[in-house]
Amino acid sequence: MKRKVTKAVFPVAGLGTRFLPATKSIPKEIMTLVDRPLIQYAIDEARAAGIKEFIFVTSRGKGALEDYFDHAPELENSLRKKGKTELLATLKSTNMDSGAIAYIRQHKALGLGHAVWCARRLIGNEPFAVILPDDVIAAEKPCLQQMVEAYKETGGCMVAAMEVPPEKASAYGVLDVKEDMGSMVSVRGMVEKPSVESAPSNLAVIGRYILTPQVLKNLNQIKQGAGGEIQLTDAIAQEIEADRDVYGYRFRGQRFDCGSKAGYLQATVAFGLARDELRDELASYLDEMKASRKAAQ
Ligand code: G1P
C-alpha cells in the first residue's frame, strides 16, 4: 500500500546572493509577493496537499523565518481590540500547529541533495515531499496537490516538470523521457544542469518533488555532481538505475522563478493582478507604462 505523504522538506538555507543587499539582513524566503512572504505560498501549497509536518532546512541568519512562523499574541490582541477582524483572520491563517514545524541546520552549503539529506532523521522511512520556495506556482489546484493525487496512482518518485526553451535547459535538472503519457512521463534518466548540447530534452525539473525514503539512502553515498554540489537529481537518478519508477509530472499552472529578479518582478505583477483590491489600479498603471514606452520609441 502506498503511504500517504504527510511530511515536506523546505530547503531554505541558500544565501540569496542574487537579492543582495536586501538579503544581507532578511532571508530571501521572507521577501513578499504583494503582502505574503514567498515561504507562505509554499506552506499554503503544502497544506493544500495534506502535508502535516513541515521541515525547514535552514542556515545561519534565517532567524526571521522562525519568528515569522511563531504566533503573534500581542499583534493579535491589538487587532482584536481594534475590531480589525479581517486582518486578524489573515494573521491567524498563517499560524501553525504546535510541533508541526521543525528546523534543522545545514551547516555547510554543499548543495540541494545535502540539504534534503540533513532532514533524513525527521523523515524516517516514509515518502516525503520537497518544495523549493523559489519556484512559485500559481495554479487553480495547487501543484503539490496535483502531484499527490497523481502519486496515489503511480507510487515511486515524482518530480514536477515543465518544458523550457532548449537554450535554458542547462539551468535545470532535465529529464530523459522513456514514455510520454501526457501529463505524466516515465523517466529513463535525469541530468543536473546539462550543457545545451548534451541535454536529453527540454523537459525541466521544477521545485516540487515526491520522493521515496530510498532517495535519502542514496544521498548517503552520492558524490559531488554538477557545480561541485551534492545534487538531489543524482540521488533520484539512482532510483532509475536501480530499476525503480521515476515520473515527471507536467503540472497545470504558471511557474515563476522567484530566485531571479525578473521572475520575482513578474510574479509580483501577476499576484497583484490576481487581487481584486489591486487589479484595476495596477492594470491601468501597466497600461500607462506601456503607452509611454511606445511613445518614447
Ligand atoms: C534546483 C534543482 C534543479 C531544478 C531547479 C528548479 O536547481 O537542482 O534540478 O531544475 O532547482 O528550480 P537550482 O535552481 O537550485 O540551481
Side-chain angles (χ1 to χ4, degrees):
M1 201 186 82
K2 284 182 276 299
R3 285 190 63 171
K4 254 182 124 175
V5 183
T6 60
K7 294 182 179 177
V9 179
F10 301 81
V12 290
L15 292 174
T17 47
R18 278 195 255 177
F19 286 94
L20 280 170
T23 45
K24 208 172 133 190
S25 67
I26 50 159
K28 70 172 168 181
E29 298 78 15
I30 290 291
M31 294 191 346
T32 56
L33 292 178
V34 190
D35 49 15
R36 296 167 89 74
L38 288 180
I39 195 67
Q40 187 67 54
Y41 291 90
I43 290 284
D44 290 348
E45 185 178 330
R47 280 172 153 172
I51 299 298
K52 303 279 182 258
E53 288 180 55
F54 306 79
I55 304 164
F56 286 77
V57 182
T58 68
S59 59
R60 288 175 291 281
K62 299 279 179 168
L65 261 177
E66 296 194 26
D67 288 342
Y68 176 78
F69 285 112
D70 212 339
H71 286 217
E74 296 87 358
L75 196 52
E76 284 181 18
N77 274 339
S78 133
L79 293 175
R80 198 171 293 116
K81 271 191 204 140
K82 289 183 185 144
K84 301 201 166 175
T85 41
E86 226 171 279
L87 268 183
L88 186 62
T90 306
L91 193 63
K92 282 186 144 179
S93 72
T94 65
N95 285 352
M96 305 291 282
D97 293 342
S98 294
I101 302 191
Y103 301 93
I104 219 158
R105 286 265 180 124
Q106 184 188 23
H107 297 113
K108 283 187 189 164
L110 296 178
L112 177 61
H114 178 260
V116 170
W117 179 78
C118 288
R120 65 198 178 282
R121 295 207 174 82
L122 293 172
I123 295 164
N125 193 30
E126 51 186 287
F128 62 100
V130 177
I131 295 189
L132 309 187
D134 273 2
D135 281 332
V136 175
I137 300 173
E140 219 163 279
K141 183 183 281 186
C143 179
L144 190 65
Q145 189 183 346
Q146 296 176 34
M147 289 173 69
V148 163
E149 287 173 8
Y151 166 83
K152 279 184 192 148
E153 307 295 321
T154 61
C157 287
M158 187 179 288
V159 300
M162 180 182 106
E163 259 83 23
V164 297
E167 69 279 7
K168 298 253 171 81
S170 46
Y172 296 91
V174 177
L175 301 181
D176 188 357
V177 174
K178 183 160 77 182
E179 193 187 346
D180 196 329
M181 297 160 278
S183 63
M184 190 94 78
V185 302
S186 70
V187 176
R188 177 190 299 133
M190 283 173 84
V191 199
E192 181 67 16
K193 309 217 165 63
S195 63
V196 174
E197 309 78 56
S198 67
S201 74
N202 67 332
L203 191 57
V205 177
I206 300 302
R208 303 288 183 276
Y209 306 77
I210 297 175
L211 301 175
T212 59
Q214 181 62 39
V215 172
L216 298 170
K217 294 199 184 116
N218 299 351
L219 281 167
N220 283 329
Q221 292 124 32
I222 287 283
K223 304 262 177 325
Q224 290 175 332
E229 297 190 337
I230 309 284
Q231 296 292 354
L232 186 58
T233 298
D234 295 343
I236 303 171
Q238 265 197 11
E239 287 300 279
I240 308 169
E241 277 152 40
D243 240 359
R244 289 185 282 265
D245 290 338
V246 175
Y247 300 93
Y249 181 80
R250 286 193 184 96
F251 55 94
R252 295 174 302 281
Q254 192 179 3
R255 174 257 185 176
F256 297 94
D257 174 11
C258 290
S260 81
K261 286 175 201 164
Y264 176 71
L265 291 172
Q266 287 159 17
T268 300
V269 173
F271 281 83
L273 289 173
R275 288 283 192 81
D276 291 341
E277 74 277 22
L278 296 173
R279 186 174 306 118
D280 292 348
E281 206 175 325
L282 185 55
S284 62
Y285 174 70
L286 291 173
D287 289 344
E288 270 169 41
M289 290 279 284
K290 223 160 118 193
S292 69
R293 267 179 55 118
K294 244 194 196 150
Q297 272 169 7

